[in-house]
Amino acid sequence: MTHPFLDLTPLSAAHFASIEDRVARLLSTEQDVVIMQGEALLPLEGAIRATAGPGTTALNVITGPYGQTFGDWLRDCGATVVDLAVPFHTAVTAEQIREAFAEHPEIDFVSLVHAEAATGNTNPVAEIGEAVRAHGALFYLDAVASIGAEPVLPDAWGVDLCVIGAQKAMGGPAGVSAVSVSERAWARMAANPRAPRRSYLSLLDWKERWVDGGRKALLHAPAQLEMLALEACVERIEGEGLDAVMGRHSSAAAATRAGAAALGGGLEPYVYEAAEAAPVATTLRSPSGVVASELVARALAGDPALPLAAGGGALAKEMIRVNHYGPDATPGTVRNSLTALGAALAEKGLDVDLTGALRAAEAAWR
Ligand SMILES: *Cc1c(COP(=O)(O)O)cnc(C)c1O
């Protein structure tokens, strides 16, 4: 008897390459796109270790928890790291990036997270890209939480290393990921004696043995199930249309934000400016005196399938996350999330206007 997950015919190199091409089209990029056989942390780490070394001065922008991790990897590589941390309720500006360049002209690497699912903000990458290009630094971008939710355009923005994963707005598998690599980035890696080689972390191995070989032979057996899931997920996005998928996410964010504000009870959007709020997920500040993780637990008690979570670490006290991404970027999920949060706030004795919240959410869904 055959099993849907087992007994699969081997995934050919040509099939693997065709999935890479489809991912490249999602990114509108002419750069090499390498699919990596692991969760997005694999190319995120691999790209830093490949390009950074003791001679590197990196501007590491911290707008959420991932920026901290990138700074740690950069320091591991021996790079000098200039951290630029901005409060999680806002985004970094191109002006702040230019100021950092003026203060530290030796910066030759910039790491940035596009959208932060963990903190709910999104950064103006197009404008930042102009500043980075003008300065001539290598530009590394974590677009895991933005791909599928808002435009991600590495070529137009001058991104040298753009990492994506399928598990957020793409509604796909978590076990494979991809990175687009510019010629400049390949050259930086080739010149870096410390870049991983003959290693699972190595991007150069894929360059030399896969890309330069005309993508004829894979380096090892591919993660077949995950590759098929990635293909199916890209196919589904192509069927709906990338613009429509992104539209669902921006509508879900606008509706959640408007609904939460109208709900009252002291609930507020965590990110002050709507333009700086990520389409992938909406973060809310819990009312004073209400512990966010307790509120979320109450809301989930009635409907455990809702995409609600408290913030990580110290943020668990004050931040509520509505992860309205992938299949959850729908009016129904937004409505049910607001209803559950409203009920949890009411149980706490707070005064909420659920009818007003649902009306505001519906009006904001464009
Ligand atoms: C989700 C996400 C990742 C992937 O990390 P996981 O915690 O394993 O899901 C990387 N970067 C960003 C910005 C993300 O939101």
Side-chain angles (χ1 to χ4, degrees):
M1 224 193 307
T2 59
H3 185 284
F5 302 161
L6 308 173
D7 312 318
L8 302 165
T9 53
L11 190 87
S12 68
H15 195 170
F16 193 101
S18 78
I19 300 170
E20 281 185 334
D21 292 342
R22 286 172 93 157
V23 171
R25 280 199 291 278
L26 272 190
L27 291 167
S28 304
T29 185
E30 303 287 319
Q31 298 176 7
D32 290 322
V33 168
V34 180
I35 292 184
M36 297 294 280
Q37 302 290 289
E39 202 268 343
L41 285 166
L42 176 62
L44 285 170
E45 181 176 350
I48 283 184
R49 295 199 188 277
T51 49
T56 307
T57 301
L59 174 64
N60 182 47
V61 183
I62 303 174
T63 55
Y66 290 96
Q68 196 65 55
T69 302
F70 303 161
D72 292 340
W73 287 334
L74 287 161
R75 277 178 265 267
D76 278 356
C77 293
T80 302
V81 181
V82 177
D83 282 321
L84 170 54
V86 304
F88 293 169
H89 63 257
T90 185
V92 71
T93 64
E95 190 48 40
Q96 286 174 293
I97 304 284
R98 275 191 290 267
E99 282 164 15
F101 290 152
E103 212 172 311
H104 305 276
E106 67 279 18
I107 289 169
D108 59 359
F109 182 101
V110 175
S111 52
L112 176 73
V113 177
H114 185 186
E116 297 266 9
T119 43
N121 46 21
T122 188
N123 294 301
V125 183
E127 291 162 42
I128 292 169
E130 271 180 45
V132 175
R133 249 199 329 273
H135 187 71
L138 203 75
F139 192 15
Y140 163 99
L141 185 71
D142 173 351
V144 176
S146 49
I147 184 72
E150 56 188 303
V152 176
L153 301 167
D155 293 10
W157 298 343
V159 178
D160 294 289
L161 294 152
C162 183
V163 175
I164 64 163
Q167 72 265 38
K168 298 261 168 70
M170 287 174 68
V176 284
S177 48
V179 54
S180 66
V181 187
S182 71
E183 283 305 325
R184 258 158 44 99
W186 284 132
R188 185 89 71 110
M189 291 180 211
N192 180 6
R194 298 232 210 159
R197 289 170 169 85
R198 296 168 299 282
S199 156
Y200 206 65
L201 270 176
S202 177
L203 280 165
L204 277 176
D205 286 359
W206 283 88
K207 164 75 169 152
E208 289 163 8
R209 294 167 57 195
W210 172 246
V211 178
D212 291 349
R215 299 193 297 176
K216 296 284 193 295
L218 288 159
L219 274 58
H220 52 72
Q224 192 177 18
L225 265 182
E226 298 276 353
M227 289 301 295
L228 293 175
L230 176 61
E231 182 177 45
C233 136
V234 174
E235 210 159 66
R236 188 165 69 177
I237 292 170
E238 290 168 354
E240 184 178 352
L242 180 59
D243 286 344
V245 175
M246 293 191 294
R248 271 198 289 113
H249 286 85
S250 57
S251 291
T256 304
R257 189 178 175 89
L263 192 57
L267 197 63
E268 285 172 12
Y270 197 91
V271 177
Y272 296 175
E273 299 291 334
E276 296 177 346
V280 71
T282 300
T283 47
L284 304 170
R285 189 180 296 276
S286 63
S288 66
V290 176
V291 176
S293 55
E294 286 172 17
L295 193 74
V296 166
R298 268 173 201 252
L300 288 174
D303 189 349
L306 288 174
L308 300 174
L315 293 173
K317 276 199 193 130
E318 60 180 34
M319 183 188 283
I320 299 153
R321 297 163 55 194
V322 186
N323 291 322
H324 45 61
Y325 53 71
D328 284 321
T330 63
T333 298
V334 170
R335 218 163 32 233
N336 294 341
S337 298
L338 290 169
T339 304
L341 288 172
L345 288 167
E347 272 179 52
K348 279 272 181 193
L350 292 160
D351 201 14
V352 294
D353 175 10
L354 183 59
T355 313
L358 296 181
R359 204 180 295 129
E362 197 182 326
W365 188 285
R366 341 168 260 272

